[in-house]
Amino acid sequence: VGLEVGTTGVKAIAISPDGELLARAEEPYELSTPRPGWAEQDPDDWGRAAERALVALGVEPAAVGLSGQMHGLVVLDERDRVLRPAILWNDQLTGAECAEIEERVGLERLISLTGNRALPGFTAPKLLWLRRHEPDVYAQIARVLLPKDYVRLRLTGERAIDVADASGTLLFDVAGRRWSVEMCAALEIPHEW
């Protein structure tokens, strides 16, 4: 079974071991734009939609592969409870934080460490924005996940991320294929998150 956690809904597909399409399902959910330039979703909407899509397929999966929208920020407390709506990839509220990151780290060093410039959709600028604008939420963060990884947690209890998605956090050493201790320290973001 393949599950795609998209911006407008979850798409699911069941394929037999020899590649035959067995079933497909799609479950939509809403996008919230509480202010101009903002884009948020309730992570539990993704989880509920994924569960409904899996039921709609009517198969017992041997394995589930996940893909989905990149860069959405899901912040969880120590009991893995969602602290606020996820800030999505297309949200544009972090322009000042992107400039701050590039100034703090230096553009050349930033690209050397992460392979990327600071972009508004990335995770690190969103965390800096939360620290500045929602300090009560920021103080409760114990873990940070991306959208498909939150769905994985809901479905299996496992916390994981793939290298491609990690590269868009601006906290990942792409060349070394590990979380960047230096970036976390420079931005004062707890490495254990």
Side-chain angles (χ1 to χ4, degrees):
V1 167
L3 281 177
E4 197 268 329
V5 182
T7 307
T8 60
V10 167
K11 295 178 185 80
I13 188 169
I15 300 174
S16 71
D18 59 351
E20 176 189 356
L21 175 63
L22 300 175
R24 62 175 12 147
E26 187 170 346
E27 292 289 332
Y29 35 73
E30 296 297 315
L31 173 68
S32 173
T33 54
R35 294 185 186 169
W38 288 31
E40 301 179 343
Q41 283 177 326
D42 178 353
D44 289 320
D45 285 349
W46 307 326
R48 286 186 291 269
E51 290 163 356
R52 288 192 308 269
L54 288 170
V55 168
L57 290 177
V59 301
E60 184 63 39
V64 177
L66 291 158
S67 69
Q69 53 174 301
M70 293 177 73
H71 316 312
L73 173 66
V74 181
V75 289
L76 306 174
D77 69 10
E78 74 285 340
R79 294 168 75 189
D80 288 334
R81 292 179 298 205
V82 174
L83 294 171
R84 71 170 321 282
I87 303 172
L88 299 188
W89 62 272
N90 54 345
D91 188 285
Q92 296 298 306
L93 58 83
T94 63
E97 289 74 18
C98 290
E100 176 186 344
I101 290 168
E102 290 189 357
E103 183 177 316
R104 246 195 225 201
V105 178
L107 181 57
E108 190 174 310
R109 184 69 181 141
L110 177 65
I111 292 171
S112 168
L113 287 169
T114 68
N116 291 295
R117 290 193 70 142
L119 299 174
F122 286 175
T123 306
K126 292 173 188 167
L127 286 168
L128 297 186
W129 186 92
L130 278 178
R131 184 166 58 209
R132 180 172 289 135
H133 297 280
E134 296 182 11
D136 292 344
V137 170
Y138 188 86
Q140 297 176 64
I141 298 173
R143 280 175 273 295
V144 174
L145 294 177
L146 300 185
K148 74 168 177 30
D149 304 318
Y150 179 71
V151 170
R152 175 190 295 108
L153 176 65
R154 270 199 53 155
L155 294 176
T156 70
E158 178 186 17
R159 285 183 221 98
I161 190 168
D162 62 76
V163 174
D165 279 353
S167 71
T169 64
L170 216 58
L171 300 169
F172 192 72
D173 173 353
V174 175
R177 299 176 73 83
R178 61 182 172 267
W179 295 109
S180 174
V181 173
E182 186 174 340
M183 281 301 298
C184 289
L187 302 179
E188 301 171 50
I189 293 173
H191 188 261
E192 61 271 14
W193 288 359

